[in-house]
Amino acid sequence: MKLLLEVINLIVNNVRIEKLKKHMKEVNIDSVIIFKPENRRYISGFTGTSGYVIITGEENYVATDFRYLEQVSKQCEGFKVIELNSVHTIFDVLNELKVKRLGIEDNFVTLQFVNNLEEKCSNINIVPLNGALENIRMIKDKEEIELIKSAAEITDKAFNHILDFIKVGVKELDIAIELEYFMKKLGAEGPSFKFIIASGKRSAMPHGVASDKIIEEGDFVTIDIGCIYKGYCSDMTRTIVMGKANEKQKKIYNIVLEAQKESLKAIKPGIKGFEVDKIARDIIDSYGYGECFGHGLGHGVGLEIHENPRLAQNEMGKIVLKPGMIITDEPGIYIPNFGGVRIEDLVLVTEDGYKVLSKTTKELIEIS
């Protein structure tokens, strides 16, 4: 079984590397250095916190220090290991490899690194990757999809668990702590972001992370949660009511639910993110709450909780949806001094449409 997993990982990594090498040829670079943790893991499998992946036309390398040498040998099948230390730096390595045109993650690299590179590797021409790795990562392979499905399943179970925990008098922070504990018991590495548990008037804050506010009768409670499972993230939001919902709460909830359901129906290959966003936005605006929906409809999810593509009216919303993309669909209405509602699903773009990965009910839940 162990040998089979190693072979599968090697095949997966090779496919990903070949996609990167295709880009390298297109922009005429002979090498790429990767140090953004998510990109490093995607290409090599390395999960350590310090190191570099170097892809050249001939070989693939992981350069790291003594602490991670054994880890690299186990995780990075098909990669040569280079040890770094105080007298053998990454800049020495690049000179030894006779790199000429080097692709760098310009959306992640520090100015200090670039300055050192220009000073210590004067023969190297720096070429920005312009998000090439993130673009490759937008399309999830079968292994990634299964891992995200598992993360979504843990999230569903955690939400259903927390419904028996929430009651009047409990703090938002207590809910967040219980959710994280339960998710970890189910195999999650941890939360994929700082949980948003926002009750009462605080639910009008789209990113109202859990506070010491006490849950009260009549509160909206927005619960935006997700976990990391074997490196991959999930993301889901539901809004519940403590006690019986009043007419205004029901009205706001149903508008958001309508916007969410109708925009979901539009998700398919070939449509652009901003077009899906517009469907939800137009519905909310038609009820007079357009100014109360100020964020984009959704975002990509994978090794990072926020990735491209975006379901939004900005430049990233012009990306065309393709099979294998995993995105969120999360319209909301936020009314100051009243409260807010958000309903969010995790969604896989399929060959002929979409598949919702979040299985939790979207009917309004009232907790007595």
Side-chain angles (χ1 to χ4, degrees), residues 229-263:
Y229 180 75
K230 295 186 178 179
Y232 284 83
C233 300
S234 62
D235 194 359
M236 183 186 77
T237 307
R238 295 292 186 267
T239 303
I240 64 175
V241 175
M242 302 304 296
K244 288 290 182 181
N246 61 42
E247 290 306 309
K248 186 172 182 179
Q249 287 176 323
K250 289 178 183 178
K251 176 185 176 183
I252 299 302
Y253 191 93
N254 287 330
I255 293 170
V256 174
L257 183 59
E258 179 185 344
Q260 211 262 353
K261 287 182 174 180
E262 292 303 313
S263 57

Side-chain angles (χ1 to χ4, degrees), residues 147-160 162 175-197 209 222-238 299 301-306 328 330 342 344-346 357-358 360:
L147 292 174
I148 294 172
K149 282 182 178 179
S150 295
E153 184 178 347
I154 291 172
T155 303
D156 283 323
K157 289 179 178 178
F159 181 84
N160 289 327
I162 211 65
I175 296 170
I177 292 167
E178 179 66 20
L179 280 164
E180 182 172 349
Y181 173 69
F182 188 82
M183 285 177 167
K184 286 182 175 178
K185 284 181 67 177
L186 293 180
E189 297 168 35
S192 48
F193 54 92
K194 198 166 184 178
F195 293 153
I196 295 167
I197 313 292
V209 296
T222 296
I223 302 171
D224 187 347
I225 56 176
C227 70
I228 301 171
Y229 180 75
K230 295 186 178 179
Y232 284 83
C233 300
S234 62
D235 194 359
M236 183 186 77
T237 307
R238 295 292 186 267
H299 55 86
V301 175
L303 284 165
E304 295 177 270
I305 191 59
H306 293 108
T328 66
E330 49 180 304
R342 181 164 65 255
E344 173 188 23
D345 282 328
L346 197 57
L357 304 183
S358 306
T360 298

Side-chain angles (χ1 to χ4, degrees), residues 119-321:
E119 178 186 340
K120 299 175 182 180
C121 304
S122 57
N123 293 325
I124 291 178
N125 291 316
I126 299 172
V127 181
L129 287 174
N130 294 321
L133 278 157
E134 286 79 5
N135 291 338
I136 293 170
R137 282 174 39 209
M138 281 196 293
I139 309 294
K140 273 57 182 180
D141 56 41
K142 290 182 180 179
E143 180 190 29
E144 292 179 290
I145 291 169
E146 289 306 311
L147 292 174
I148 294 172
K149 282 182 178 179
S150 295
E153 184 178 347
I154 291 172
T155 303
D156 283 323
K157 289 179 178 178
F159 181 84
N160 289 327
H161 165 75
I162 211 65
L163 293 179
D164 293 328
F165 180 89
I166 297 176
K167 58 186 177 183
V168 172
V170 171
K171 291 181 180 180
E172 294 172 352
L173 280 169
D174 293 332
I175 296 170
I177 292 167
E178 179 66 20
L179 280 164
E180 182 172 349
Y181 173 69
F182 188 82
M183 285 177 167
K184 286 182 175 178
K185 284 181 67 177
L186 293 180
E189 297 168 35
S192 48
F193 54 92
K194 198 166 184 178
F195 293 153
I196 295 167
I197 313 292
S199 62
K201 294 179 181 180
R202 291 191 74 250
S203 61
M205 301 167 61
H207 275 195
V209 296
S211 73
D212 60 1
K213 180 191 175 300
I214 293 173
I215 304 295
E216 300 176 59
E217 184 75 17
D219 277 355
F220 264 142
V221 184
T222 296
I223 302 171
D224 187 347
I225 56 176
C227 70
I228 301 171
Y229 180 75
K230 295 186 178 179
Y232 284 83
C233 300
S234 62
D235 194 359
M236 183 186 77
T237 307
R238 295 292 186 267
T239 303
I240 64 175
V241 175
M242 302 304 296
K244 288 290 182 181
N246 61 42
E247 290 306 309
K248 186 172 182 179
Q249 287 176 323
K250 289 178 183 178
K251 176 185 176 183
I252 299 302
Y253 191 93
N254 287 330
I255 293 170
V256 174
L257 183 59
E258 179 185 344
Q260 211 262 353
K261 287 182 174 180
E262 292 303 313
S263 57
L264 269 177
K265 292 176 185 177
I267 294 174
K268 61 183 178 180
I271 196 168
K272 294 180 179 179
F274 78 86
E275 295 174 302
V276 184
D277 176 281
K278 187 176 187 302
I279 292 168
R281 201 166 298 281
D282 285 351
I283 289 171
I284 291 173
D285 188 53
S286 71
Y287 286 98
Y289 291 99
E291 293 183 358
C292 300
F293 178 31
H295 59 73
L297 180 65
H299 55 86
V301 175
L303 284 165
E304 295 177 270
I305 191 59
H306 293 108
E307 301 183 346
N308 287 330
R310 308 285 170 145
L311 306 186
Q313 299 298 301
N314 60 21
E315 191 68 24
M316 294 300 99
K318 295 179 181 179
I319 296 172
V320 175
L321 299 189

Side-chain angles (χ1 to χ4, degrees), residues 38-81:
E38 295 82 6
N39 290 341
R40 202 169 54 202
R41 180 171 187 162
Y42 179 80
I43 289 293
S44 71
F46 179 51
T47 62
T49 59
S50 178
Y52 307 86
V53 170
I54 302 170
I55 305 296
T56 71
E58 296 76 33
E59 296 286 354
N60 308 314
Y61 306 89
V62 177
T64 189
D65 62 71
F66 174 81
R67 297 170 296 170
Y68 299 101
L69 296 180
E70 184 176 353
Q71 183 176 341
V72 170
S73 67
K74 292 179 179 179
Q75 291 183 330
C76 307
E77 197 73 27
F79 283 74
K80 291 189 174 182
V81 185

Side-chain angles (χ1 to χ4, degrees), residues 63-132:
T64 189
D65 62 71
F66 174 81
R67 297 170 296 170
Y68 299 101
L69 296 180
E70 184 176 353
Q71 183 176 341
V72 170
S73 67
K74 292 179 179 179
Q75 291 183 330
C76 307
E77 197 73 27
F79 283 74
K80 291 189 174 182
V81 185
I82 299 174
E83 183 176 358
L84 302 176
N85 53 48
S86 59
V87 295
H88 188 233
T89 69
I90 187 62
F91 307 106
D92 296 320
V93 171
L94 293 172
N95 282 325
E96 290 161 6
L97 293 176
K98 295 181 170 55
V99 172
K100 298 301 181 186
R101 285 176 57 82
L102 178 67
I104 64 167
E105 298 160 301
D106 50 300
N107 58 357
F108 187 80
V109 69
T110 65
L111 178 60
Q112 182 181 28
F113 183 89
V114 172
N115 288 339
N116 286 336
L117 184 60
E118 291 176 337
E119 178 186 340
K120 299 175 182 180
C121 304
S122 57
N123 293 325
I124 291 178
N125 291 316
I126 299 172
V127 181
L129 287 174
N130 294 321

Side-chain angles (χ1 to χ4, degrees), residues 322-333:
K322 297 178 181 180
M325 290 180 172
I326 293 183
I327 55 178
T328 66
D329 186 321
E330 49 180 304
I333 292 176

